[in-house]
Amino acid sequence: MRGEAPVFIERTSVGLDVHARSVAAAAIDGMTGELVQARLAPSEQAVTAWLAGLPGPLAVVYEAGPTGFGLSRALTSQGVRCVVAAPSRLQRPSGDRVKTDARDAVHLARLLRLDEVTPVSVPTVEQESARDLVRAREDCRGDLMRARHRLSKLLLRHGIVYEGGAAWTGAHDAWLRREAAPALGTRATRMAFDSDYEAVLTVKARRDRLDRAIEELAAGSELAPAVHRLGCLRGVSTLTGFALAVEIGDWHRFTGATIGSFVGLTPSEHSSGASRAQGPITKTGNAHVRRLLVEAAWHHRARYTVGKTMRDRWELAPPAARVRGDEGNRRLHERWVGFLERRKRPTVANVAVARELAGWCWSLAVMED
């Protein structure tokens, strides 16, 4: 916070620019002002050995990225305070046009000493493994959508269109095998159809296996209570609730008003003087969480009734969560009704509902059992 005294108490601040094949390191001694730089091998042993030769106590920072959180856990286990910085929140001089690994490491060390680093939440090994599974399922969802598009567009190029109702149902699958495939004129085209149809079946089976694995993991996970509370809201199934729980991690970092901006659901703004202009949502932060919330928000458009599915999910949650979930469901449906009465575009209205849904999810996630 501005105006508060820095909380940096260590003698040496260390910035690491971590890559797959090298690590650029920079250390600033707060007592002497000395700057020490080095290029290290990308291993925890090499980094810890170099840090051991610096005057302590130490504080280390590096940017979150594809190299993961193993280095942070290793340094924390040795008693070194390690901050994993959010890359999108790092301050960079507007006039700086030279970017190198060494300069980035020095910049990180200086920001850490000034206490100007916004950290990300470092998950535990169990949480990270659960996140890997959830993201594998998200990738599989995208693969299935693309496989289905390839198959449907192949048929469309040959003038074959399904008109028997919703696509990708049992009836649609029977139509593909009994009517669409025989209608293709050449052997080569039928071979292309068989390839695309097999891809759809293979990816769908993979998605179903991942769904079952996630449901089993969610049932025995430490996140199960939070998932059950989140399930009190419409559109938040076990899969969605578990994905939200593992992607957000520590819900206590946020408030009901700030979580929407974390997932990029707040409007962008460019204001100066007396003028104020708002644009599309920022789309910053976790894109997976944002998609889940937008998808769940569509469920609140229909008239709110408590059906069997909702009652079954309520049975797994404590009474306070059921009451909060019921209040949220009614409120979000009222928001939908208000937007429709004002003739708002459904897509715009749904994003606004998703932003408020994020706040309701937060209130349930931080609720004590």
Side-chain angles (χ1 to χ4, degrees), residues 167-229:
W168 311 114
T169 60
H172 180 245
D173 183 73
W175 174 83
L176 287 172
R177 291 181 285 106
R178 298 171 185 172
E179 299 183 32
L184 297 172
T186 65
R187 179 173 178 272
T189 303
R190 286 195 297 271
M191 290 179 65
F193 172 87
D194 291 341
S195 175
D196 289 344
Y197 181 65
E198 181 182 2
V200 170
L201 296 181
T202 301
V203 179
K204 184 176 181 298
R206 178 157 57 96
R207 185 202 63 182
D208 294 341
R209 289 196 300 271
L210 290 172
D211 285 350
R212 291 191 294 269
I214 291 174
E215 290 177 353
E216 293 174 1
L217 182 61
S221 169
E222 61 181 6
L223 300 174
V227 173
H228 294 157
R229 294 194 299 270

Side-chain angles (χ1 to χ4, degrees), residues 7 11 37 73 88 101 109 152 197 212 279 314 342 353:
V7 296
R11 173 175 174 174
Q37 295 180 270
R73 298 191 189 102
S88 61
D101 293 347
S152 64
Y197 181 65
R212 291 191 294 269
W314 280 4
R342 291 157 53 191
V353 173

Side-chain angles (χ1 to χ4, degrees), residues 93-105:
S94 59
D96 193 352
R97 295 294 183 268
V98 179
K99 183 183 184 305
T100 65
D101 293 347
R103 288 170 67 94
D104 286 347

Side-chain angles (χ1 to χ4, degrees), residues 8-82:
F8 186 88
I9 58 175
E10 289 82 5
R11 173 175 174 174
T12 304
S13 60
V14 180
L16 302 177
D17 194 52
V18 182
H19 296 279
R21 294 179 174 83
S22 66
V23 176
I28 301 175
D29 190 327
M31 295 184 64
T32 64
E34 181 184 5
L35 172 64
V36 179
Q37 295 180 270
R39 181 166 292 274
L40 309 173
S43 66
E44 298 173 4
Q45 294 77 12
V47 173
T48 54
W50 183 76
L51 293 176
L54 299 175
L58 306 173
V60 180
V61 61
Y62 69 94
E63 295 183 54
T67 55
F69 300 99
L71 179 59
S72 173
R73 298 191 189 102
L75 295 177
T76 302
S77 66
Q78 298 179 14
V80 177
R81 184 168 73 92
C82 183

Side-chain angles (χ1 to χ4, degrees), residues 81 102 122 133 187 310 343:
R81 184 168 73 92
V122 178
L133 183 61
R187 179 173 178 272
M310 181 59 68
R343 299 185 180 277

